[in-house]
Amino acid sequence: MARLGDLERAVLDCLWQSGEPLTVREVHEALLPERQLAYTTVLTTLQRLARKGLAKQDAQARAHLFSAVATREEMFTELMTDALGIAGDEHEAMLRFVDVISPEARAALAETLGEQGRDKRKER
């Protein structure tokens, strides 16, 4: 999956925060306080996200509605899975990842892995 540009990430954030499909105008207005963008720029960005498979466009309504294809967490999982798939050494890649995440994220990861280990031991 190609990296997303700053505007693409901002537009996806709008879709994720909404939780429901948005019109181009709604996305444009949500971005206006921070960015002075042309309506057509937002439309082009939404269409680009749809071509990349990250947003879907419902053209059945009078105004085209856009929504994210996956949640933020699902997209992150797919990106991480893809990254691990191209890593030469999956173990080394994970160690480097753990080195760069925040202490809070590292603690949450350790807790989750500990819980999964306990669950597996109970299954035996």
Side-chain angles (χ1 to χ4, degrees):
M1 183 180 299
R3 288 187 179 211
L4 297 177
D6 184 47
L7 181 55
E8 289 174 320
R9 283 192 306 273
V11 168
L12 265 178
D13 279 340
C14 286
L15 297 177
W16 283 324
Q17 288 173 8
S18 168
E20 60 185 45
L22 297 174
T23 64
V24 178
R25 179 144 327 277
E26 290 169 327
V27 174
H28 181 252
E29 289 172 0
L31 295 172
L32 272 181
E34 296 176 17
R35 302 166 181 260
Q36 295 300 313
L37 298 168
Y39 175 90
T40 54
T41 300
V42 175
L43 172 60
T44 300
T45 303
L46 283 161
Q47 290 171 333
R48 188 178 318 123
L49 288 169
R51 281 194 305 275
K52 289 181 177 183
L54 300 174
K56 59 186 171 189
Q57 180 178 2
D58 178 4
Q60 301 302 317
R62 183 170 173 217
H64 290 228
L65 295 172
F66 289 85
S67 58
V69 170
T71 66
R72 183 185 316 262
E73 294 76 14
E74 290 167 338
M75 184 177 162
F76 176 77
T77 301
E78 184 179 331
L79 289 169
M80 288 295 296
T81 303
D82 288 350
L84 285 174
I86 62 171
D89 182 343
E90 192 174 288
H91 181 257
E92 181 65 25
M94 286 301 297
L95 289 174
R96 288 177 182 250
F97 175 71
V98 170
D99 282 345
V100 299
I101 61 176
S102 71
E104 296 81 13
R106 195 174 305 119
L109 179 60
E111 182 179 331
T112 301
L113 292 172
E115 289 171 3
Q116 287 181 350
R118 285 189 294 278
D119 291 344
K120 287 192 185 270
R121 285 190 294 275
K122 287 179 185 177
E123 291 174 4
R124 293 181 198 172

PDB file of all heavy atoms in Angstrom, residues 14 25-39 42:
ATOM      1  N   CYS A  14     -11.263  12.615   8.761  1.00  0.00           N
ATOM      2  CA  CYS A  14     -12.645  13.131   8.759  1.00  0.00           C
ATOM      3  C   CYS A  14     -13.641  11.987   8.609  1.00  0.00           C
ATOM      4  O   CYS A  14     -14.651  11.943   9.318  1.00  0.00           O
ATOM      5  CB  CYS A  14     -12.848  14.121   7.615  1.00  0.00           C
ATOM      6  SG  CYS A  14     -12.080  15.714   7.858  1.00  0.00           S
ATOM      7  N   ARG A  25     -18.865  18.206   0.396  1.00  0.00           N
ATOM      8  CA  ARG A  25     -19.036  19.489   1.091  1.00  0.00           C
ATOM      9  C   ARG A  25     -18.801  19.332   2.594  1.00  0.00           C
ATOM     10  O   ARG A  25     -18.159  20.166   3.221  1.00  0.00           O
ATOM     11  CB  ARG A  25     -20.429  20.068   0.843  1.00  0.00           C
ATOM     12  CG  ARG A  25     -20.642  21.381   1.575  1.00  0.00           C
ATOM     13  CD  ARG A  25     -21.472  22.405   0.868  1.00  0.00           C
ATOM     14  NE  ARG A  25     -21.427  22.499  -0.567  1.00  0.00           N
ATOM     15  CZ  ARG A  25     -20.507  23.161  -1.270  1.00  0.00           C
ATOM     16  NH1 ARG A  25     -19.531  23.763  -0.658  1.00  0.00           N
ATOM     17  NH2 ARG A  25     -20.572  23.218  -2.580  1.00  0.00           N
ATOM     18  N   GLU A  26     -19.300  18.261   3.197  1.00  0.00           N
ATOM     19  CA  GLU A  26     -19.109  18.038   4.637  1.00  0.00           C
ATOM     20  C   GLU A  26     -17.631  17.839   4.980  1.00  0.00           C
ATOM     21  O   GLU A  26     -17.145  18.370   5.976  1.00  0.00           O
ATOM     22  CB  GLU A  26     -19.935  16.835   5.100  1.00  0.00           C
ATOM     23  CG  GLU A  26     -21.429  17.110   5.096  1.00  0.00           C
ATOM     24  CD  GLU A  26     -22.278  15.861   5.295  1.00  0.00           C
ATOM     25  OE1 GLU A  26     -21.875  14.776   4.850  1.00  0.00           O
ATOM     26  OE2 GLU A  26     -23.361  15.999   5.899  1.00  0.00           O
ATOM     27  N   VAL A  27     -16.926  17.094   4.145  1.00  0.00           N
ATOM     28  CA  VAL A  27     -15.488  16.913   4.374  1.00  0.00           C
ATOM     29  C   VAL A  27     -14.775  18.242   4.196  1.00  0.00           C
ATOM     30  O   VAL A  27     -13.927  18.627   5.002  1.00  0.00           O
ATOM     31  CB  VAL A  27     -14.895  15.837   3.430  1.00  0.00           C
ATOM     32  CG1 VAL A  27     -13.383  15.761   3.572  1.00  0.00           C
ATOM     33  CG2 VAL A  27     -15.532  14.480   3.697  1.00  0.00           C
ATOM     34  N   HIS A  28     -15.132  18.974   3.146  1.00  0.00           N
ATOM     35  CA  HIS A  28     -14.527  20.282   2.878  1.00  0.00           C
ATOM     36  C   HIS A  28     -14.718  21.218   4.064  1.00  0.00           C
ATOM     37  O   HIS A  28     -13.768  21.871   4.519  1.00  0.00           O
ATOM     38  CB  HIS A  28     -15.146  20.873   1.599  1.00  0.00           C
ATOM     39  CG  HIS A  28     -14.599  22.195   1.213  1.00  0.00           C
ATOM     40  ND1 HIS A  28     -15.317  23.363   1.338  1.00  0.00           N
ATOM     41  CD2 HIS A  28     -13.388  22.544   0.701  1.00  0.00           C
ATOM     42  CE1 HIS A  28     -14.581  24.372   0.923  1.00  0.00           C
ATOM     43  NE2 HIS A  28     -13.403  23.910   0.528  1.00  0.00           N
ATOM     44  N   GLU A  29     -15.930  21.276   4.601  1.00  0.00           N
ATOM     45  CA  GLU A  29     -16.208  22.156   5.741  1.00  0.00           C
ATOM     46  C   GLU A  29     -15.464  21.708   6.997  1.00  0.00           C
ATOM     47  O   GLU A  29     -15.025  22.541   7.787  1.00  0.00           O
ATOM     48  CB  GLU A  29     -17.717  22.221   5.999  1.00  0.00           C
ATOM     49  CG  GLU A  29     -18.454  23.000   4.924  1.00  0.00           C
ATOM     50  CD  GLU A  29     -19.965  22.923   5.047  1.00  0.00           C
ATOM     51  OE1 GLU A  29     -20.483  22.256   5.976  1.00  0.00           O
ATOM     52  OE2 GLU A  29     -20.639  23.520   4.183  1.00  0.00           O
ATOM     53  N   ALA A  30     -15.316  20.403   7.177  1.00  0.00           N
ATOM     54  CA  ALA A  30     -14.591  19.900   8.351  1.00  0.00           C
ATOM     55  C   ALA A  30     -13.113  20.283   8.290  1.00  0.00           C
ATOM     56  O   ALA A  30     -12.480  20.505   9.318  1.00  0.00           O
ATOM     57  CB  ALA A  30     -14.729  18.381   8.445  1.00  0.00           C
ATOM     58  N   LEU A  31     -12.569  20.381   7.087  1.00  0.00           N
ATOM     59  CA  LEU A  31     -11.154  20.723   6.920  1.00  0.00           C
ATOM     60  C   LEU A  31     -10.902  22.227   6.918  1.00  0.00           C
ATOM     61  O   LEU A  31      -9.773  22.670   7.121  1.00  0.00           O
ATOM     62  CB  LEU A  31     -10.617  20.123   5.614  1.00  0.00           C
ATOM     63  CG  LEU A  31     -10.581  18.599   5.550  1.00  0.00           C
ATOM     64  CD1 LEU A  31     -10.217  18.151   4.136  1.00  0.00           C
ATOM     65  CD2 LEU A  31      -9.602  18.032   6.553  1.00  0.00           C
ATOM     66  N   LEU A  32     -11.949  23.022   6.686  1.00  0.00           N
ATOM     67  CA  LEU A  32     -11.782  24.476   6.532  1.00  0.00           C
ATOM     68  C   LEU A  32     -11.144  25.207   7.711  1.00  0.00           C
ATOM     69  O   LEU A  32     -10.339  26.098   7.482  1.00  0.00           O
ATOM     70  CB  LEU A  32     -13.120  25.138   6.191  1.00  0.00           C
ATOM     71  CG  LEU A  32     -13.456  25.202   4.714  1.00  0.00           C
ATOM     72  CD1 LEU A  32     -14.792  25.903   4.515  1.00  0.00           C
ATOM     73  CD2 LEU A  32     -12.385  25.873   3.902  1.00  0.00           C
ATOM     74  N   PRO A  33     -11.464  24.877   8.941  1.00  0.00           N
ATOM     75  CA  PRO A  33     -10.856  25.665  10.012  1.00  0.00           C
ATOM     76  C   PRO A  33      -9.320  25.650   9.974  1.00  0.00           C
ATOM     77  O   PRO A  33      -8.684  26.637  10.289  1.00  0.00           O
ATOM     78  CB  PRO A  33     -11.370  24.991  11.293  1.00  0.00           C
ATOM     79  CG  PRO A  33     -12.620  24.305  10.883  1.00  0.00           C
ATOM     80  CD  PRO A  33     -12.432  23.913   9.449  1.00  0.00           C
ATOM     81  N   GLU A  34      -8.756  24.509   9.565  1.00  0.00           N
ATOM     82  CA  GLU A  34      -7.293  24.394   9.553  1.00  0.00           C
ATOM     83  C   GLU A  34      -6.691  24.635   8.180  1.00  0.00           C
ATOM     84  O   GLU A  34      -5.537  25.033   8.065  1.00  0.00           O
ATOM     85  CB  GLU A  34      -6.886  22.993  10.029  1.00  0.00           C
ATOM     86  CG  GLU A  34      -7.277  22.718  11.460  1.00  0.00           C
ATOM     87  CD  GLU A  34      -6.948  21.299  11.867  1.00  0.00           C
ATOM     88  OE1 GLU A  34      -6.148  20.647  11.183  1.00  0.00           O
ATOM     89  OE2 GLU A  34      -7.503  20.845  12.873  1.00  0.00           O
ATOM     90  N   ARG A  35      -7.431  24.349   7.137  1.00  0.00           N
ATOM     91  CA  ARG A  35      -6.889  24.409   5.780  1.00  0.00           C
ATOM     92  C   ARG A  35      -7.816  25.207   4.873  1.00  0.00           C
ATOM     93  O   ARG A  35      -9.015  25.040   4.912  1.00  0.00           O
ATOM     94  CB  ARG A  35      -6.760  22.995   5.191  1.00  0.00           C
ATOM     95  CG  ARG A  35      -5.893  22.070   6.000  1.00  0.00           C
ATOM     96  CD  ARG A  35      -6.121  20.642   5.506  1.00  0.00           C
ATOM     97  NE  ARG A  35      -5.342  19.700   6.247  1.00  0.00           N
ATOM     98  CZ  ARG A  35      -4.209  19.182   5.811  1.00  0.00           C
ATOM     99  NH1 ARG A  35      -3.737  19.517   4.640  1.00  0.00           N
ATOM    100  NH2 ARG A  35      -3.546  18.315   6.548  1.00  0.00           N
ATOM    101  N   GLN A  36      -7.233  26.013   4.048  1.00  0.00           N
ATOM    102  CA  GLN A  36      -7.996  26.741   3.038  1.00  0.00           C
ATOM    103  C   GLN A  36      -7.860  25.979   1.722  1.00  0.00           C
ATOM    104  O   GLN A  36      -6.934  26.197   0.960  1.00  0.00           O
ATOM    105  CB  GLN A  36      -7.488  28.182   2.900  1.00  0.00           C
ATOM    106  CG  GLN A  36      -7.700  29.018   4.151  1.00  0.00           C
ATOM    107  CD  GLN A  36      -9.171  29.129   4.525  1.00  0.00           C
ATOM    108  OE1 GLN A  36     -10.022  29.398   3.688  1.00  0.00           O
ATOM    109  NE2 GLN A  36      -9.473  28.890   5.788  1.00  0.00           N
ATOM    110  N   LEU A  37      -8.775  25.051   1.500  1.00  0.00           N
ATOM    111  CA  LEU A  37      -8.721  24.187   0.329  1.00  0.00           C
ATOM    112  C   LEU A  37      -9.889  24.467  -0.596  1.00  0.00           C
ATOM    113  O   LEU A  37     -10.993  24.779  -0.140  1.00  0.00           O
ATOM    114  CB  LEU A  37      -8.793  22.712   0.754  1.00  0.00           C
ATOM    115  CG  LEU A  37      -7.679  22.190   1.628  1.00  0.00           C
ATOM    116  CD1 LEU A  37      -8.052  20.824   2.182  1.00  0.00           C
ATOM    117  CD2 LEU A  37      -6.391  22.105   0.831  1.00  0.00           C
ATOM    118  N   ALA A  38      -9.652  24.296  -1.874  1.00  0.00           N
ATOM    119  CA  ALA A  38     -10.737  24.386  -2.843  1.00  0.00           C
ATOM    120  C   ALA A  38     -11.603  23.139  -2.717  1.00  0.00           C
ATOM    121  O   ALA A  38     -11.101  22.047  -2.418  1.00  0.00           O
ATOM    122  CB  ALA A  38     -10.173  24.498  -4.252  1.00  0.00           C
ATOM    123  N   TYR A  39     -12.866  23.297  -2.962  1.00  0.00           N
ATOM    124  CA  TYR A  39     -13.811  22.170  -2.944  1.00  0.00           C
ATOM    125  C   TYR A  39     -13.330  21.071  -3.884  1.00  0.00           C
ATOM    126  O   TYR A  39     -13.369  19.888  -3.551  1.00  0.00           O
ATOM    127  CB  TYR A  39     -15.192  22.690  -3.360  1.00  0.00           C
ATOM    128  CG  TYR A  39     -16.257  21.635  -3.497  1.00  0.00           C
ATOM    129  CD1 TYR A  39     -17.059  21.285  -2.419  1.00  0.00           C
ATOM    130  CD2 TYR A  39     -16.468  20.993  -4.711  1.00  0.00           C
ATOM    131  CE1 TYR A  39     -18.050  20.317  -2.537  1.00  0.00           C
ATOM    132  CE2 TYR A  39     -17.453  20.021  -4.842  1.00  0.00           C
ATOM    133  CZ  TYR A  39     -18.237  19.691  -3.756  1.00  0.00           C
ATOM    134  OH  TYR A  39     -19.209  18.737  -3.880  1.00  0.00           O
ATOM    135  N   VAL A  42     -10.660  18.775  -2.470  1.00  0.00           N
ATOM    136  CA  VAL A  42     -11.198  17.765  -1.558  1.00  0.00           C
ATOM    137  C   VAL A  42     -11.864  16.644  -2.370  1.00  0.00           C
ATOM    138  O   VAL A  42     -11.664  15.457  -2.088  1.00  0.00           O
ATOM    139  CB  VAL A  42     -12.186  18.392  -0.549  1.00  0.00           C
ATOM    140  CG1 VAL A  42     -12.834  17.327   0.331  1.00  0.00           C
ATOM    141  CG2 VAL A  42     -11.466  19.428   0.307  1.00  0.00           C
TER     142      VAL A  42
END
